[in-house]
Amino acid sequence: MAKPIKIFAGRSNPALAEKIASYLDMTLGNAKVENFSDGEISVNFFESIRGSDLFIIQSTNPPGDNLMELLIMIDAARRSSAARITAVMPYYGYARQDRKDRPRVAITAKLVANLLTEAGANRILTMDLHAPQIQGFFDIPFDHLYSSVVLINDIRQREFRDNLVVASPDVGGVKLARKFAEELGTDLVIVDKRRPAANVAEVMNIIGDVRGKNVLLVDDMIDTAGTIVNAAKAIREAGGLKIYAAATHPILSGPAIERINASLLEKLIVTDSVITSHDYSPKIETVTVSNLIGEAIKRIYEDDSVSCLFDSKNILQKLTNSH
């Protein structure tokens, strides 16, 4: 007899969790996640999950409560005899510290991997890691999705796709930008920058030709927006026409919204991987990754291949046919 599938959600992104459940023609499981007066997190599953194939949807963007909440939900599920526990993390927090590049610093990406495993997770499903090699920190099955398949299909339907070049706002994002450029059939440009301090970006020069072109900047995440805004400024100074940006994770902390609103960006396209408390901006548009994550959950449950979801050219057909 097949194990029953159960889907629960933490409080970090309930809207995305509801959309994922809707794609799967399911309802989210009955669980109560609340805080004691002092802030301590309490989790209680109000239905049997014994022997179930359990998926817990929770992004772990700051504050740390989101990560702690996921760990407590995993622990509660393990103690309730779930057969398999998959942590579905649309955004994997603390991933930027993925190596010891200076003396006396932590490797938080590895620390989070250890915590998830020790809590009882049997499998991880996430999207657009800041550094893909973080997958190697785990000794349990790990599925890594790419939001580019959704973003590229969205961009293909926009007017600015003509006369377009794709740009990476820094050297570290070249692989992601190359993926966009190949799929959209455009040239690739690199904005070479030097970062004198954390969350402070200084643009140096541009590798490639943007003169007379519309430009699409792509990145995995936007935090304070300094990198993307400075890159847009440098591109305009080099002769770029209309400048757009696409990113997976809209963290948008600190002065991000003010910088975006005052920037040369025409539009910033992001996904709903995280919900943050930033102000509304008319320049920001959101596309959902719920169908992508929902299809991945379905395929994991059915022991089917997830790698077919990496192809942007026919993913819409795959999702439509599978649903």
Side-chain angles (χ1 to χ4, degrees):
M1 183 179 296
K3 297 187 295 292
I5 181 173
K6 301 269 187 175
I7 299 179
F8 290 86
R11 295 176 293 180
S12 70
N13 197 338
L16 176 60
E18 288 285 357
K19 290 178 184 177
I20 292 171
S22 176
Y23 176 82
L24 294 167
D25 291 326
M26 297 179 62
T27 56
L28 292 174
N30 186 10
K32 188 173 184 179
V33 183
E34 57 185 347
N35 293 84
F36 293 117
S37 178
D38 63 352
E40 184 176 316
I41 299 167
S42 170
V43 172
N44 191 355
F45 292 103
F46 286 128
E47 59 186 85
S48 175
I49 57 176
R50 183 180 297 273
S52 66
D53 200 347
L54 188 72
F55 295 83
I56 302 174
I57 302 169
Q58 175 82 334
S59 285
T60 55
N61 49 298
D65 278 5
N66 287 328
L67 173 59
M68 194 66 194
E69 191 173 290
L70 175 59
L71 295 172
I72 294 172
M73 292 185 77
I74 292 171
D75 183 73
R78 177 174 61 87
R79 296 176 188 278
S80 303
S81 302
R84 181 173 67 173
I85 304 167
T86 300
V88 181
M89 305 166 66
Y91 174 74
Y92 185 107
Y94 291 91
R96 280 179 279 185
Q97 301 172 73
D98 62 330
R99 64 196 181 280
K100 193 172 182 215
D101 56 352
R102 290 169 292 151
R104 297 171 296 280
V105 295
I107 305 178
T108 57
K110 172 58 175 171
L111 174 61
V112 170
N114 290 346
L115 290 170
L116 290 166
T117 304
E118 287 299 316
N122 304 114
R123 191 180 196 104
I124 305 294
L125 172 63
T126 190
M127 183 175 67
D128 284 357
L129 286 168
H130 190 65
Q133 61 268 24
I134 290 171
Q135 296 171 76
F137 292 163
F138 288 86
D139 293 321
I140 58 177
F142 193 108
D143 291 296
H144 187 207
L145 300 176
Y146 299 94
S147 72
S148 58
V149 296
V150 175
L151 291 170
I152 288 169
N153 274 315
D154 179 81
I155 291 162
R156 283 195 179 114
Q157 302 170 44
R158 294 179 180 265
E159 295 180 358
F160 66 79
R161 70 186 184 280
D162 298 323
N163 190 34
L164 184 70
V165 295
V166 173
S168 172
D170 54 33
V171 175
V174 170
K175 186 174 181 180
L176 177 63
R178 184 180 293 116
K179 169 73 172 176
F180 274 76
E182 289 174 351
E183 294 283 348
L184 294 171
T186 73
D187 292 332
L188 175 64
V189 171
I190 302 170
V191 181
D192 179 32
K193 80 169 193 301
R194 175 170 55 89
R195 188 188 293 275
N199 290 331
V200 178
E202 180 180 341
V203 171
M204 298 288 286
N205 51 42
I206 294 176
I207 304 170
D209 184 18
V210 297
R211 187 169 300 279
K213 299 281 189 179
N214 294 328
V215 180
L216 175 68
L217 284 157
V218 297
D219 211 347
D220 67 314
M221 64 180 292
I222 295 181
D223 188 1
T224 60
T227 295
I228 210 85
V229 166
N230 287 343
K233 180 180 178 182
I235 287 169
R236 175 60 58 81
E237 292 172 352
L241 298 180
K242 292 186 176 180
I243 305 166
Y244 302 82
T248 305
H249 308 300
I251 305 302
L252 302 176
S253 67
I257 293 297
E258 290 79 5
R259 287 174 173 174
I260 290 168
N261 288 339
S263 73
L264 295 167
L265 292 173
E266 301 282 335
K267 194 70 65 178
L268 169 60
I269 307 163
V270 299
T271 80
D272 54 355
S273 66
V274 296
I275 293 179
T276 55
S277 58
H278 63 79
D279 296 329
Y280 168 79
S281 170
K283 290 191 174 186
I284 298 175
E285 289 187 11
T286 304
V287 297
T288 186
V289 289
S290 57
N291 290 5
L292 176 65
I293 296 174
E295 182 64 19
I297 290 174
K298 176 177 178 288
R299 289 172 177 271
I300 290 170
Y301 173 67
E302 295 175 349
D303 292 325
D304 203 352
S305 172
V306 174
S307 61
C308 68
L309 301 180
F310 300 164
D311 183 2
S312 69
K313 292 181 180 177
N314 59 2
I315 187 171
L316 291 181
Q317 181 179 354
K318 281 181 166 52
L319 295 180
T320 302
N321 291 341
S322 298
H323 187 39

